[in-house]
Amino acid sequence: MAELTSHPAHPPALVRTMEFRIIGFDANWLRARWKIMGSGKLVVPSFAGKGRAEGLWQTTCFELFLHQPGSPAYTEINLSPSERWNVYDFSARREGMHERPMPREPECTMRLGTDMAIFDAAIPAAGLPQTPWKCGIAAVIEEEGGVKSYWALSHTGDAPDFHDPACFLEEVAAPGAP
């Protein structure tokens, strides 16, 4: 389990904590979970059906950054509670961005309680770069009233920057057997 922190320049309204964990990783799927405590004012994008979309980060969305050590390249995965998603490859920090082909669409579900929300994602392993990775874990959280907070393993600058390699802290090894 990894604890995410909000960027100090963008504090949340009610959200108190956010946790992330990989709940499964085999030859077929990478399964990830974000747990939000203090979700009473969470803005959840309306169901839009599966499909690629741009600009998911403009409201509540969940992100993974997968970096293979020794290379400046990395992959960014954007996942929305609306079930929209996108995956991008970068040749270096914020350079050479292009959509990464995926063999099938990720599966996403959001469960909301009165004070807790769980976002689960299953990402096709065949569409991911080869392991091992240094993983950046992030989320943009929008709450009622337009309050946005930016959550990550680490923040290094005056503004949120999920693409900062200093935020790629979680080590992920090869998947287990199915």
Side-chain angles (χ1 to χ4, degrees), residues 15 22 34 40 42 49 55 62 66 84 103 121-122 125 134 148 157 170 175-176:
V15 174
I22 292 175
W34 287 258
L42 187 65
F62 302 86
L66 310 177
R84 295 293 177 155
K134 294 283 270 189
K148 289 184 185 174
E170 190 79 8

Side-chain angles (χ1 to χ4, degrees), residues 14-129:
L14 291 182
V15 174
R16 297 184 307 278
T17 62
M18 187 175 309
E19 297 173 356
F20 170 86
R21 72 180 61 218
I22 292 175
I23 56 176
F25 188 20
D26 61 30
N28 298 311
W29 296 99
L30 170 66
R31 297 179 193 284
R33 173 173 289 163
W34 287 258
K35 177 181 172 185
I36 303 163
M37 296 303 296
S39 62
K41 291 188 174 192
L42 187 65
V43 173
V44 179
S46 299
F47 174 75
K50 288 184 176 31
R52 284 187 187 260
E54 299 289 329
L56 297 174
W57 55 269
Q58 294 175 3
T59 187
T60 299
C61 94
F62 302 86
E63 302 183 7
L64 290 173
F65 294 80
L66 310 177
H67 171 255
Q68 293 176 298
S71 168
Y74 61 95
T75 299
E76 175 184 0
I77 302 167
N78 293 284
L79 304 160
S80 171
S82 71
E83 292 196 15
R84 295 293 177 155
W85 60 276
N86 219 328
V87 181
Y88 306 98
D89 282 330
F90 289 82
S91 58
R93 185 175 179 179
R94 295 191 178 274
E95 294 179 12
M97 182 179 108
H98 64 277
E99 284 187 352
R100 182 179 185 88
M102 293 298 286
R104 62 185 294 189
E105 297 187 283
E107 305 281 335
C108 301
T109 58
M110 183 95 182
R111 295 186 306 262
L112 294 168
T114 55
D115 188 54
M116 180 177 70
I118 301 284
F119 181 78
D120 284 333
I123 304 150
L128 301 176

Side-chain angles (χ1 to χ4, degrees), residues 116-151:
M116 180 177 70
I118 301 284
F119 181 78
D120 284 333
I123 304 150
L128 301 176
Q130 188 174 18
T131 54
W133 308 314
K134 294 283 270 189
C135 187
I137 302 152
V140 175
I141 298 297
E142 183 175 358
E143 295 177 88
E144 293 171 9
V147 175
K148 289 184 185 174
S149 54
Y150 301 86
W151 296 75

